[in-house]
Amino acid sequence: MAGMRLPDTALSSTRAGQTVPVAADVDSAYERIRQTVIHTPLVASALSTAEREILLKLECVQETGAFKLRGALAKITTLPADARHVVCASTGNHGRAVAWAARHTGRQATVCLSSLVPPVKVSAVQALGASVRRIGRSQDEAQEEVDRMVAQGEAVEVPPFDDPSVIAGQGTIALEILRVRPDVKTLLVPLSGGGLIAGIAL
């Protein structure tokens, strides 16, 4: 990204053997995914006033309708060429992102969804070419199937949030914001699993 590099003093988590991402990993993730993801628009909100401008980063225009694509693609692009099958547990958006990113990189994807996930979300994942496994009645039960597949060497997991590469991928949102508006003072970030806010904080 022209004019927006993170500090060189931040060591890559992979180079340093760390289990948590560092700022330089966000920069690296951006270089891997910037030709694929949409540089989403930053638009003024109707809530803006003369005293305070409020801007919205429209991740809803990504190919899969959510920011999750950044993290899934950032993770999958770190995998070795022989990692041909990826798997995840999801309630919908992450599964769509993994399915899209796997198809884009020529891989097979399996998405484990509990029986509580609405049929419309199941169909959306399948439409992107992924295999779907309906497992149990909770995210935890769906995750158990992911763990089994990974343990048996059937696939490589792409976690929804608690993974250094996924977190770094989500952090590319902040890089795009700062490129357009380096004067930004506050970022309000939704919180669920924590991958998005962790990446943006980096």
Side-chain angles (χ1 to χ4, degrees):
M1 176 186 293
M4 285 301 301
R5 296 227 26 114
L6 293 172
D8 291 334
T9 53
L11 297 177
S12 168
S13 59
T14 52
R15 286 201 314 265
Q18 299 169 340
T19 58
V20 295
V22 294
D25 294 325
V26 179
D27 210 30
S28 176
Y30 184 80
E31 290 305 312
R32 293 196 310 278
I33 71 174
R34 66 188 179 90
Q35 298 295 332
T36 306
V37 298
I38 295 171
H39 183 129
T40 55
L42 194 61
V43 301
S45 166
L47 298 175
S48 295
T49 66
E51 296 78 28
R52 178 164 298 166
E53 183 182 23
I54 299 175
L55 302 169
L56 304 175
K57 180 70 165 156
L58 300 187
E59 284 296 294
C60 57
V61 304
Q62 286 293 354
E63 292 283 353
T64 58
F67 71 91
K68 292 283 190 177
L69 183 57
R70 293 173 184 268
L73 191 61
K75 172 67 174 181
I76 289 174
T77 55
T78 66
L79 299 180
D82 60 354
R84 307 307 304 164
H85 187 183
V86 295
V87 64
C88 71
S90 174
T91 56
N93 285 342
H94 179 60
R96 289 185 69 195
V98 169
W100 192 97
R103 184 176 70 179
H104 180 77
T105 58
R107 291 175 167 86
Q108 176 186 355
T110 297
V111 179
C112 299
L113 303 168
S114 83
S115 61
L116 299 181
V117 174
V120 66
K121 292 192 173 186
V122 176
S123 298
V125 170
Q126 291 172 325
L128 292 168
S131 298
V132 168
R133 295 190 185 180
R134 304 301 297 270
I135 306 292
R137 292 185 53 80
S138 72
Q139 183 80 344
D140 288 342
E141 290 179 271
Q143 183 62 47
E144 288 173 6
E145 175 64 6
V146 172
D147 296 341
R148 183 199 66 75
M149 292 180 66
V150 171
Q152 295 187 3
E154 297 177 28
V156 176
E157 182 180 10
V158 180
F161 48 81
D162 52 347
D163 177 272
S165 296
V166 171
I167 290 170
Q170 317 304 27
T172 62
I173 291 172
L175 287 185
E176 290 183 3
I177 292 171
L178 291 172
R179 182 179 187 183
V180 175
R181 291 296 300 267
D183 60 327
V184 70
K185 295 212 171 35
T186 303
L187 294 174
L188 300 179
V189 185
L191 176 64
S192 179
L196 176 63
I197 198 168
I200 287 177
L202 284 176

